Amino acid sequence: MTWDVSSLLVLTISASSRNVTTSSEQFSASFCWPADTSCVEFTIQNISRGQAGPLVCSVLGPYGSKTANLSVQESGTVSITGGGLTVEKEQRVEFQCLTSGWYPQPTIGWSLNGQPADSSQYNSSSAAVGDTFNSTSVLTFQAVSSTTVECWATVLALSRPKASQVFLAVGPGPPDWTVLVALVVSIGGFALLVLFIYGIVFCYKRRIGKGTFHSQLVETSLCLDL
């Protein structure tokens, strides 16, 4: 049995003698079970992206060969810039996440208190830098309560995403003057209405008083004439 990586012979196994010959310590193989030579586990240590390509296992005789495609991916770094924040309630906040050294372009997402953030709350972009990708993702939302904010990145080869976390502390917001202003306006309006009514009544009484006094003067004049 032989193994070829990217068209290069790297390992040979003799089923009869169980002897394994490798071109480098990077490659190794072992039988799946001690008494069975029909199954072999092939291992590559410290693999590089340059070794991506066809992986061929060949067996002498009627078995022929089998080919698989070897894809090599790289995971880089993930970090939320600026660290945690302390803000007032209802304040709009923004977090920026940077990833670097990934191949291929990673999938990036956010979570708030362990729950996935809505995709409408963030946008991401990536750019090739040499033979890897760097990405930037910006999350924006309105602070309601203290929250653990997490940015994560992953590629298909990772069993679990790489992540970075910060804490958003939310304090009480500024006092709401709406109710007080409404109360003052209501009281002021009522006071103006009372003053207006009082003014009308006062003017009306004065007019009546003047009319009565004029009538009395006329009556007195008539009495004197008599």
Side-chain angles (χ1 to χ4, degrees), residues 2-217:
T2 61
W3 289 85
D4 294 68
V5 176
S6 297
S7 302
L8 296 175
L9 177 62
V10 297
L11 187 140
T12 302
I13 302 175
S14 173
S16 58
S17 64
R18 295 177 176 266
N19 185 44
V20 178
T21 304
T22 67
S23 62
S24 166
E25 292 182 355
Q26 182 183 16
F27 308 101
S28 62
S30 61
F31 294 104
C32 301
W33 302 282
D36 187 359
T37 60
S38 63
C39 175
V40 174
E41 292 180 349
F42 176 62
T43 304
I44 305 176
Q45 302 286 345
N46 301 318
I47 194 169
S48 66
R49 280 173 48 201
Q51 293 171 316
L55 181 67
V56 182
C57 172
S58 302
V59 180
L60 296 177
Y63 299 103
S65 63
K66 294 292 183 181
T67 302
N69 186 63
L70 177 62
S71 175
V72 181
Q73 301 181 346
E74 291 183 30
S75 62
T77 61
V78 182
S79 62
I80 298 177
T81 61
L85 294 176
T86 300
V87 299
E88 294 179 346
K89 190 175 182 180
E90 305 300 334
Q91 183 176 334
R92 200 151 187 82
V93 294
E94 180 179 292
F95 291 93
Q96 185 179 68
C97 179
L98 301 179
T99 70
S100 62
W102 290 74
Y103 182 86
Q105 179 179 321
T107 299
I108 299 175
W110 293 82
S111 65
L112 304 175
N113 286 334
Q115 299 300 315
D118 192 283
S119 58
S120 64
Q121 294 178 302
Y122 62 91
N123 59 80
S124 305
S125 60
S126 297
V129 180
D131 60 352
T132 59
F133 287 89
N134 292 350
S135 303
T136 301
S137 184
V138 179
L139 171 72
T140 307
F141 64 97
Q142 193 170 36
V144 177
S145 60
S146 295
T147 306
T148 299
V149 180
E150 180 180 83
C151 173
W152 54 264
T154 189
V155 289
L156 188 61
L158 281 180
S159 57
R160 60 188 307 172
K162 283 190 172 182
S164 174
Q165 283 187 354
V166 294
F167 188 71
L168 171 66
V170 179
D176 187 359
W177 298 102
T178 305
V179 176
L180 181 59
V181 170
L183 182 61
V184 171
V185 170
S186 299
I187 294 174
F190 179 74
L192 288 174
L193 179 61
V194 171
L195 288 174
F196 181 70
I197 295 173
Y198 178 78
I200 292 175
V201 172
F202 179 76
C203 291
Y204 179 73
K205 285 184 176 181
R206 286 194 63 184
R207 291 185 63 182
I208 293 177
K210 287 183 179 180
T212 304
F213 179 71
H214 180 70
S215 298
Q216 289 176 349
L217 287 177

